[in-house]
Amino acid sequence: MKITDAKVFVGGPGKNYVTLKIMTDQGIYGLGDATLNNRETLPAAYLQDYLIPNLIGMDPRNSEDIWQFFYRGAYFRKGPIAMAAFGAIDTALWDIKGKLANMPLYQLFGGKSRDGAIVYAHATGADLPDLMESIASYVAQGYKAVRVQCGIPGMPTASYAVPDKKGTEGDFITDFSGIIPKTEIWDTDRYMRFMPGALADIRDRFGPDLKVLHDVHHRLLPREAAAFAKAVEPIGLYWLEDPTPAEDQAALRLIRQHSTTPIAIGEVFNSIWECNKLIQEELIDFIRVAVTYAGGITHVKRIIDLAGMHNVRTGFHGAPSHSPISMAAQHHLNAWAPNFGIQEYLVLGTPACDALFPSDHVMRDGMVYVSDAPGHGVDFDEREAARYEYKPGSHPVVRLEDGTLWNY
Ligand code: GCO
Ligand code: MG
């Protein structure tokens, strides 16, 4: 069996999804996702200019050797652009394998460990009452877990992923007005004074059963993060995410020494080499990597197995930037993984998105039920794809009030 061709598509409804389609001499094709939010053209170019010419003629069944060929063969290893491109190839090859076996991917991993996998939604508010309304609407839809982000009183601009004005809907992460970023102003003191109380109010209003998650988005210094994690301990968060930027992994030791609040990290990691110390030293509780830019199913499965040895559960990244293809790959891993924790899930199911990526995966009452179709179970409609083109977008940059650049 041979790979005969591969094509890359960039575009989609409200997102620049990077979709890879690998064709074979047996008429079976596989689909992968290399969407790297706000840098989408780069994995697409890596695939087109370097990887696809090497793929042609390879046997698609040898997904492990192909992964090693690209990873070890690159010489300059890792990095989100390369790992997103390798991840797309790997996911497409697993898709082909599943179609050849006529089995859904979870069967190839070892079968189902659960019927439905719990997911969490993003509740946001310009202020606390606005956030309470947003949480209530997710609870009414049956969600059992929500991530809560709130505007901070006195903060000069909206902070991470929250709207400027009450009741606004939309994408608060990517700004599609162009590649020159907007600026957010951040003040740690105001955040530290306000957020623990807001989280306590949320717990009071929604009771003990709702799983409440909060994302600090890398904004605190290690000592501040330790103090924050300690202050919110009585609230019983399901997790506190990215309390500090993860380049300084020793910071996690300080946080652990001061609190038992569960910590989730890893959405910006792209290899096992950024996860292994945090996992082996049991400094985190949830690993947040994504199939999209952590090298695909082959590599993420290794991370899951390592995590399982150290009581670390999965909590894969599922921001709206991932296409339904890598989300589906994660649904299959979530159905199988003995150490599954939770899945981040942003509503992808708009009619336009479903038309571009048809599938039978189901989200109901805050749980995802994986499809039994062979492979990952998501298709791609090329005629629909022709309606979309690349639109430049950007994440904001963050500065302190005196102008100092801070972590987005
Ligand atoms: C999350 C993340 C995202 C990121 C986004 C950047 O927890 O979902 O923090 O919302 O900000 O993926 O592109
Ligand atoms: Mg996050």
Side-chain angles (χ1 to χ4, degrees):
M1 186 174 187
K2 283 198 173 16
I3 295 172
T4 50
D5 198 5
K7 289 196 255 181
V8 183
F9 304 82
V10 182
K15 283 285 152 195
N16 295 308
Y17 296 124
V18 182
T19 306
L20 172 70
K21 182 168 185 175
I22 296 182
M23 275 71 78
T24 68
D25 57 1
Q26 295 192 10
I28 294 176
Y29 58 87
L31 295 163
D33 172 25
T35 308
L36 185 63
N37 207 18
N38 299 332
R39 294 292 183 273
E40 297 89 350
T41 54
L42 302 176
Y46 195 9
L47 281 161
Q48 252 144 4
D49 297 349
Y50 297 96
L51 305 179
I52 291 175
N54 279 286
L55 266 181
I56 312 289
M58 286 181 169
D59 184 334
R61 294 169 297 185
N62 296 336
S63 48
E64 180 68 58
D65 186 64
I66 293 174
W67 197 94
Q68 300 293 338
F69 176 87
F70 286 126
Y71 180 84
R72 290 175 190 259
Y75 187 60
F76 298 105
R77 292 182 186 174
K78 304 185 288 182
I81 296 166
M83 294 300 267
F86 304 165
I89 293 172
D90 185 72
T91 301
L93 297 182
W94 276 93
D95 192 28
I96 291 171
K97 210 183 289 298
K99 288 172 177 168
L100 277 173
N102 199 25
M103 282 182 182
L105 287 188
Y106 70 79
Q107 290 292 7
L108 303 185
F109 302 155
K112 271 191 191 173
S113 302
R114 59 197 57 77
D115 284 331
I118 186 169
V119 302
Y120 71 89
H122 283 191
T124 52
D127 58 21
L128 189 53
D130 194 26
L131 174 59
M132 293 285 195
E133 259 178 57
S134 171
I135 301 170
S137 82
Y138 285 113
V139 170
Q141 292 168 54
Y143 282 90
K144 295 151 186 61
V146 278
R147 184 191 88 161
V148 301
Q149 304 300 131
C150 193
I152 309 296
M155 203 75 100
T157 64
S159 46
Y160 165 69
V162 300
D164 279 326
K165 286 193 292 296
K166 258 172 133 62
T168 323
E169 301 276 330
D171 183 340
F172 310 120
I173 294 168
T174 296
D175 168 17
F176 281 105
S177 64
I179 55 163
I180 308 299
K182 296 226 162 78
T183 303
E184 271 177 24
I185 305 294
W186 174 256
D187 177 342
T188 297
D189 291 342
R190 285 195 181 99
Y191 173 78
M192 297 280 281
R193 283 200 300 269
F194 173 76
M195 202 61 216
L199 291 169
D201 291 351
I202 291 166
R203 175 59 75 216
D204 283 351
R205 157 111 186 247
F206 292 95
D209 290 337
L210 183 68
K211 292 180 174 34
V212 178
L213 299 76
H214 177 64
D215 192 348
V216 183
H217 224 254
H218 326 271
R219 300 281 162 96
L220 298 179
L221 297 173
R223 190 206 54 78
E224 294 161 349
F228 190 92
K230 187 160 135 186
V232 299
E233 213 169 79
I235 297 156
L237 290 183
Y238 187 77
W239 82 33
L240 185 68
E241 179 178 336
D242 288 329
T244 54
E247 288 100 325
D248 173 14
Q249 300 201 337
L252 274 300
R253 211 168 287 131
L254 185 79
I255 300 171
R256 265 291 194 250
Q257 279 160 1
H258 291 278
S259 119
T260 56
T261 294
I263 304 294
I265 280 197
E267 67 179 45
V268 297
F269 294 174
N270 49 72
S271 81
I272 199 166
W273 304 107
E274 290 143 298
C275 308
N276 62 340
K277 184 167 151 201
L278 294 180
I279 291 174
Q280 283 163 330
E281 294 188 23
E282 305 193 2
L283 297 176
I284 57 172
D285 301 277
F286 295 91
I287 185 71
R288 296 265 298 133
V289 288
V291 162
T292 323
Y293 29 71
I297 293 169
T298 296
H299 198 65
V300 167
K301 214 166 156 298
R302 291 209 164 95
I303 296 173
I304 299 174
D305 285 334
L306 178 68
M309 293 168 66
H310 295 282
N311 309 302
V312 174
R313 288 185 285 161
T314 62
F316 298 138
H317 194 219
S321 38
H322 305 276
S323 93
I325 292 173
S326 46
M327 288 301 289
Q330 295 185 170
H331 297 336
H332 285 275
L333 289 168
N334 292 338
W336 154 75
N339 52 325
F340 166 71
I342 199 165
Q343 171 65 56
E344 181 178 30
Y345 186 93
L346 276 293
V347 178
L348 298 160
T350 61
C353 193
D354 289 347
L356 183 59
F357 297 102
S359 93
D360 293 330
H361 297 287
V362 173
M363 212 288 283
R364 192 176 61 241
D365 293 335
M367 310 282 283
V368 164
Y369 298 89
V370 76
S371 147
D372 278 323
H376 56 54
V378 176
D379 209 350
F380 182 66
D381 186 327
E382 289 185 43
R383 270 172 316 175
E384 277 291 311
R387 296 173 47 198
Y388 302 104
E389 57 184 23
Y390 170 71
K391 280 201 215 76
S394 53
H395 295 118
V397 291
V398 178
R399 290 185 185 275
L400 305 182
E401 277 177 282
D402 71 355
T404 307
L405 204 88
W406 207 244
N407 314 308
Y408 170 62

